[in-house]
Amino acid sequence: MTRILIADDHDVVRSGLHTILSAQPGWEVVAEAEDGRQAVQLATDTQPTVAILDYRLPSLNGVDATREIRAIAPQTEVLIFTMHESEPLLRELLEAGARGYLLKSDARKFLIAAVESLALHKPFFTGKISETLLSAYLSHGHVSDGALTTRERSVVQLIAEGHSNKEVAQMLGINPKTVESHRATAMRKVDVTSTASLVRYAIRNGLIEP
Amino acid sequence: MTRILIADDHDVVRSGLHTILSAQPGWEVVAEAEDGRQAVQLATDTQPTVAILDYRLPSLNGVDATREIRAIAPQTEVLIFTMHESEPLLRELLEAGARGYLLKSDARKFLIAAVESLALHKPFFTGKISETLLSAYLSHGHVSDGALTTRERSVVQLIAEGHSNKEVAQMLGINPKTVESHRATAMRKVDVTSTASLVRYAIRNGLIEP
DNA sequence: CCGCAATTGGGGAAAACCCTGAGTTTCGCC
DNA sequence: GGCGAAACTCAGGGTTTTCCCCAATTGCGG
């Protein structure tokens, strides 16, 4: 019996997944969560075979939820279900322990195959970026650092949220000049020349909410 | 018999809507479209009572699809189904002829009620902004202009795309100082104090794509 | 004709941006 | 344990861009 947990904040999506998955012989949806915390809680309680998590979840996002579920229920495989393909996101997810990545637009074609694969503890990924990144991960045990370092990401995040260099410096407890430095290298790395473009980058890659 | 058309690019969402709606006695889903053009085509063919359109649709967005459907199948009521609540968007939709606006997060509570209402040719809207805006529309036949003027919107748009004041000035054929001015008033109007926040506003309200 | 808002600008202070250099953890690796 | 690479930390000193007050000009509706 393949036991499945569904976590998505939109009940319409949950209904859709539920009907599609329940139609498969031997598959059972054992829990539905509408936010991250609930997903972790239900995963603990039900110990499902596969947990399907939307990346955008209230209270606890997909990455953090993945990390917690992997810690609490190690035999549960996590399938991330998301709108857009983002490389930094995928990287984080791999580190967090997700073993599947399914684009919402690929759902019809690959949903069954993805869950099937995860149930056998084999990874499953869709999308252009996925193949290269996944093979790199499987051969090295980790993926090379993304465009931005941790510090750079924090800075970009706070900047994109509307804070000035000075404010960011205070929040992080460092010198404004250092913030400038991180900001500058980050901007060079992602190849933009204005704050506006940097904000768009941050939003596209899920560093902040629009 | 209430005949329903569903248009959404994610098949999971279509499945969800389908199962929920079909469960209602007297309701029938007569068509499913995965993009805007197909929705218009199917609306022409099937002449449904209610058309449920996702706002984000490939090939033809929700607003344009609404306009065409209202022109071709005037007795079909259009219900827009969307993630976020955006005032400018709602404004456009009202002008285009939509009679319903349903947030995806409100789906479980209000989906049935919304379709029911539209089938009786009564408007149905969820969300905070909706009430005030709708009543204004019903009493005046149109809605007053949004927060930003035309010029201000253009400027914000170009700024958010990553252009500097100087570049924007060249594109619009005006003095950089004038661009600054529009930018400043726009920022006061939408109540932000940094470029970053302005870009987020632009993205939230659909002035530009992320 | 008068008001009011949109559009157009100026001047000056503040912040962001660019380049260069350099000290100090931090981490993987032999 | 030592060694190198990369990350994190700041500084100086410059240019460019935002940001915030203000004022003049259109233009449209009461």
Side-chain angles (χ1 to χ4, degrees):
Chain A
M1 201 67 177
T2 301
R3 299 155 44 75
I4 303 170
L5 177 149
I6 296 172
D8 195 296
D9 53 333
H10 295 130
D11 40 33
V12 180
V13 175
R14 289 202 303 277
S15 297
L17 288 172
H18 200 132
T19 49
I20 294 174
L21 294 170
S22 299
Q24 291 294 310
W27 290 11
E28 184 189 6
V29 175
V30 294
E32 283 190 25
E34 56 185 10
D35 64 48
R37 292 236 166 276
Q38 202 182 347
V40 174
Q41 182 58 49
L42 289 174
T44 311
D45 295 348
T46 63
Q47 301 278 324
T49 318
V50 178
I52 303 178
L53 305 184
D54 186 13
Y55 169 59
R56 284 173 188 270
L57 282 178
S59 86
L60 194 68
N61 69 36
V63 177
D64 295 333
T66 300
R67 221 184 309 275
E68 294 201 17
I69 290 178
R70 293 293 297 169
I72 292 172
Q75 81 295 346
T76 296
E77 297 289 358
V78 174
L79 173 65
I80 295 291
F81 189 50
T82 181
M83 293 278 267
H84 306 292
E85 186 165 34
S86 156
E87 192 189 323
L89 168 58
L90 186 49
R91 212 182 295 275
E92 271 193 286
L93 285 168
L94 284 170
E95 305 287 4
R99 300 261 291 176
Y101 186 84
L102 180 63
L103 293 174
K104 288 198 177 174
S105 47
D106 289 346
R108 168 144 304 175
K109 278 183 292 185
F110 296 125
L111 175 61
I112 306 290
V115 175
E116 210 160 43
S117 182
L118 279 255
L120 299 173
H121 301 284
K122 291 186 345 195
F124 188 98
F125 291 77
T126 63
K128 297 179 294 295
I129 312 169
S130 302
E131 276 84 35
T132 56
L133 213 59
L134 180 62
S135 60
Y137 179 73
L138 292 179
S139 57
H140 297 90
H142 72 284
V143 282
S144 65
D145 284 335
L148 303 183
T149 67
T150 321
R151 208 54 161 171
E152 284 158 2
R153 245 198 315 277
S154 322
V155 169
V156 170
Q157 209 169 331
L158 293 171
I159 295 284
E161 278 172 2
H163 304 288
S164 70
N165 286 343
K166 203 183 293 181
E167 289 172 329
V168 174
Q170 260 187 326
M171 295 186 212
L172 298 180
I174 57 180
N175 192 291
K177 212 61 178 156
T178 308
V179 174
E180 272 185 61
S181 188
H182 290 309
R183 180 187 190 138
T185 55
M187 286 177 71
R188 250 188 297 103
K189 283 183 180 176
V190 305
D191 192 34
V192 299
T193 56
S194 68
T195 302
S197 306
L198 189 63
V199 174
R200 291 179 71 189
Y201 167 86
I203 291 179
R204 269 202 310 272
N205 294 21
L207 269 67
I208 61 161
E209 296 298 313
Chain B
M1 200 67 177
T2 300
R3 298 156 43 76
I4 302 169
L5 177 148
I6 296 172
D8 194 297
D9 54 332
H10 294 129
D11 39 33
V12 179
V13 174
R14 291 203 302 278
S15 298
L17 288 172
H18 200 131
T19 49
I20 294 174
L21 294 170
S22 298
Q24 291 295 309
W27 290 12
E28 182 188 9
V29 176
V30 294
E32 283 189 26
E34 56 186 11
D35 64 50
R37 293 238 165 276
Q38 202 183 346
V40 173
Q41 182 59 49
L42 288 173
T44 312
D45 295 350
T46 62
Q47 300 281 322
T49 318
V50 178
I52 303 177
L53 305 184
D54 185 12
Y55 169 60
R56 285 173 186 269
L57 283 178
S59 87
L60 195 67
N61 67 38
V63 178
D64 295 334
T66 300
R67 223 184 309 274
E68 294 201 17
I69 291 177
R70 294 293 299 170
I72 293 172
Q75 80 295 346
T76 296
E77 297 290 359
V78 174
L79 173 65
I80 295 290
F81 190 51
T82 182
M83 294 277 267
H84 306 292
E85 186 166 33
S86 155
E87 191 188 324
L89 168 58
L90 185 50
R91 212 183 297 276
E92 268 192 288
L93 285 168
L94 285 170
E95 306 287 3
R99 300 259 291 177
Y101 186 84
L102 180 63
L103 293 175
K104 288 197 178 176
S105 47
D106 289 346
R108 168 142 303 176
K109 276 184 293 186
F110 296 126
L111 175 62
I112 306 292
V115 174
E116 212 160 42
S117 180
L118 278 256
L120 299 173
H121 301 284
K122 290 186 348 196
F124 187 98
F125 290 78
T126 62
K128 297 179 294 295
I129 313 170
S130 301
E131 276 85 33
T132 57
L133 212 61
L134 180 63
S135 61
Y137 178 74
L138 292 179
S139 58
H140 299 90
H142 72 284
V143 280
S144 64
D145 283 333
L148 302 183
T149 69
T150 326
R151 208 53 161 173
E152 285 158 2
R153 245 197 315 277
S154 325
V155 169
V156 170
Q157 210 167 332
L158 293 170
I159 295 285
E161 278 171 3
H163 304 288
S164 69
N165 287 343
K166 202 185 291 181
E167 289 172 330
V168 174
Q170 260 188 325
M171 295 185 213
L172 297 180
I174 57 181
N175 192 292
K177 254 348 201 165
T178 308
V179 175
E180 280 182 48
S181 190
H182 290 309
R183 180 189 191 136
T185 54
M187 286 176 68
R188 250 186 295 105
K189 282 185 181 176
V190 306
D191 192 33
V192 299
T193 55
S194 70
T195 302
S197 305
L198 188 64
V199 174
R200 292 178 71 187
Y201 167 87
I203 291 179
R204 269 203 309 273
N205 295 34
L207 268 66
I208 61 160
E209 296 298 313

